Amino acid sequence: MRTMTEPQSRALQREKRKPLAAAWLTATKHKYLYVLLLPGLLWYFIFRYLPMYGVMIAFKDYNFSKGIWGSPWVGLKHFEFLLHNQDFYAIVRNTLVINLYELIFAFPVPVILALLLNEMKNLLFKRAVQTVVYFPHFLSWVVFGGIIIQLLSPNEGLINNILRSLGMEPVFFMSKSEYFRPIVVISSILKESGWGAIIYLAALSSIDTEQYEAATIDGANRWQKLVYVTLPGIRNTILIMLILKVGYLLDVGFEQIYILYNPSVYDVGDVLSTYIYRIGLQSAQFSITAAIGLFQSVIGFFLIWGTNRLAKKYSEVSLW
């Protein structure tokens, strides 16, 4: 076997150090950008990665006085409890149905709104509209939900006052199961569609204007420009946002549901986040809520993975 000479060994070591030297040179060159990145990385580490340590209580019979390590292991006991609990299936169904409604009816609204804003030529009017549709995003669900409840109030609500003026009986919207899910979806659209449109407006601004000029020369009207230039230009952004949205099919915002629902609509409005609140904080069954959280995370991962595979197979866009 041929042995390596000392000069050859030093040359090999230098070759191995080259990528490290290049990485260090890049980090030194852009050191201020890395400093700006550091708070975001710290936030993710502290609030996203460190809490993963507590996932183990899903496999333990957690006792607050004994702590995480002192609590006894119970294996899959809590997962078996969930799988044999009929209430859990109803809650998962409610979560999926509400999210599917939002995926079907709420997801396209920011896209449509961005397209409409992009077509506005009067900049002053466009900015005024943008301000109006962005503003609800900055209100908390406590405030915005209170406005929705007040609008739908059977005694003083604007909607029921209009119904009375038309000779109709007032409707108790917030206490009827058939109205709760539409109210959740519509309130989500009113609050978040304007803010969501920002992403698509940014994508629209990156479309080359020469494509519109070429389409005009070819005799395309505004609708044809929309179909053949604008929508293909933001298709990748729409697909990425759709993949991310599918990953949250088992996650409905706690604040919105908690503010809007009441015991009379639990059969259609009780979702995983509110169930976790009642079981975990009010009943102090932390192990069961940890099991639910782990269940959500695993299912969410597979949803994103599957959607990403489909997107990668049928288009050139994917998360990885």
Side-chain angles (χ1 to χ4, degrees), residues 66-88:
K66 295 180 180 179
I68 294 177
W69 282 109
S71 300
W73 289 93
V74 294
L76 300 176
K77 171 186 172 183
H78 303 299
F79 294 95
E80 292 174 357
F81 168 77
L82 293 175
L83 293 176
H84 292 90
N85 187 348
Q86 293 301 318
D87 290 339
F88 180 71

Side-chain angles (χ1 to χ4, degrees), residues 101-146:
Y101 281 173
E102 292 202 353
L103 187 64
I104 295 169
F105 298 106
F107 181 79
V109 174
V111 181
I112 297 170
L113 182 59
L115 293 173
L116 292 173
L117 289 172
N118 189 58
E119 292 296 320
M120 290 184 181
K121 303 305 179 185
N122 188 322
L123 289 180
L124 183 62
F125 180 71
K126 180 179 179 179
R127 288 170 183 169
V129 172
Q130 284 178 300
T131 302
V132 171
V133 297
Y134 293 168
F135 179 71
H137 170 79
F138 299 99
L139 297 176
S140 70
W141 270 112
V142 176
V143 175
F144 194 79

Side-chain angles (χ1 to χ4, degrees), residues 4-76:
M4 187 179 296
T5 63
E6 186 175 346
Q8 289 176 328
S9 176
R10 286 199 297 268
L12 182 60
Q13 291 177 0
R14 284 196 297 271
E15 288 295 325
K16 289 181 178 180
R17 286 197 295 266
K18 279 185 178 179
L20 295 175
W24 175 252
L25 182 62
T26 302
T28 306
K29 182 179 179 181
H30 303 290
K31 56 181 179 295
Y32 296 114
L33 293 178
Y34 285 105
V35 170
L36 290 174
L37 183 64
L38 185 61
L41 293 176
L42 285 175
W43 184 90
Y44 264 94
F45 178 74
I46 294 170
F47 294 103
R48 296 296 182 184
Y49 285 94
L50 285 183
M52 289 183 185
Y53 162 76
V55 169
M56 70 173 66
I57 70 174
F59 306 96
K60 291 193 166 197
D61 193 3
Y62 178 69
N63 185 294
F64 188 78
S65 61
K66 295 180 180 179
I68 294 177
W69 282 109
S71 300
W73 289 93
V74 294
L76 300 176

Side-chain angles (χ1 to χ4, degrees), residues 244-255:
L244 295 175
K245 181 67 176 176
V246 169
Y248 286 94
L249 280 180
L250 281 181
D251 186 13
V252 178
F254 168 76
E255 297 89 351

Side-chain angles (χ1 to χ4, degrees), residues 54-248:
V55 169
M56 70 173 66
I57 70 174
F59 306 96
K60 291 193 166 197
D61 193 3
Y62 178 69
N63 185 294
F64 188 78
S65 61
K66 295 180 180 179
I68 294 177
W69 282 109
S71 300
W73 289 93
V74 294
L76 300 176
K77 171 186 172 183
H78 303 299
F79 294 95
E80 292 174 357
F81 168 77
L82 293 175
L83 293 176
H84 292 90
N85 187 348
Q86 293 301 318
D87 290 339
F88 180 71
Y89 287 102
I91 289 165
V92 171
R93 183 179 65 250
N94 291 339
T95 307
L96 283 173
V97 169
I98 290 175
N99 272 320
L100 285 173
Y101 281 173
E102 292 202 353
L103 187 64
I104 295 169
F105 298 106
F107 181 79
V109 174
V111 181
I112 297 170
L113 182 59
L115 293 173
L116 292 173
L117 289 172
N118 189 58
E119 292 296 320
M120 290 184 181
K121 303 305 179 185
N122 188 322
L123 289 180
L124 183 62
F125 180 71
K126 180 179 179 179
R127 288 170 183 169
V129 172
Q130 284 178 300
T131 302
V132 171
V133 297
Y134 293 168
F135 179 71
H137 170 79
F138 299 99
L139 297 176
S140 70
W141 270 112
V142 176
V143 175
F144 194 79
I147 294 172
I148 297 296
I149 293 171
Q150 190 63 34
L151 286 172
L152 300 175
S153 170
N155 298 321
E156 301 174 356
L158 175 63
I159 304 300
N160 276 305
N161 284 335
I162 293 174
L163 293 177
R164 286 193 190 93
S165 67
L166 297 174
M168 302 170 65
E169 292 293 325
V171 179
F172 290 77
F173 290 101
M174 303 306 299
S175 60
K176 290 188 177 293
S177 299
E178 61 267 29
Y179 294 119
F180 181 76
R181 288 169 179 167
I183 289 170
V184 170
V185 175
I186 293 171
S187 61
S188 294
I189 292 172
L190 292 174
K191 189 174 188 299
E192 299 297 341
S193 58
W195 186 255
I198 293 177
I199 297 174
Y200 301 107
L201 284 170
L204 287 168
S205 66
S206 65
I207 298 175
D208 190 355
T209 56
E210 291 183 359
Q211 295 185 43
Y212 291 104
E213 294 172 1
T216 303
I217 294 172
D218 290 338
N221 56 35
R222 297 183 74 173
W223 174 255
Q224 290 170 327
K225 291 177 185 178
L226 174 67
V227 173
Y228 296 107
V229 179
T230 306
L231 286 177
I234 63 172
R235 181 184 60 185
N236 293 349
T237 304
I238 294 173
L239 284 173
I240 293 296
M241 298 303 295
L242 179 61
I243 293 170
L244 295 175
K245 181 67 176 176
V246 169
Y248 286 94

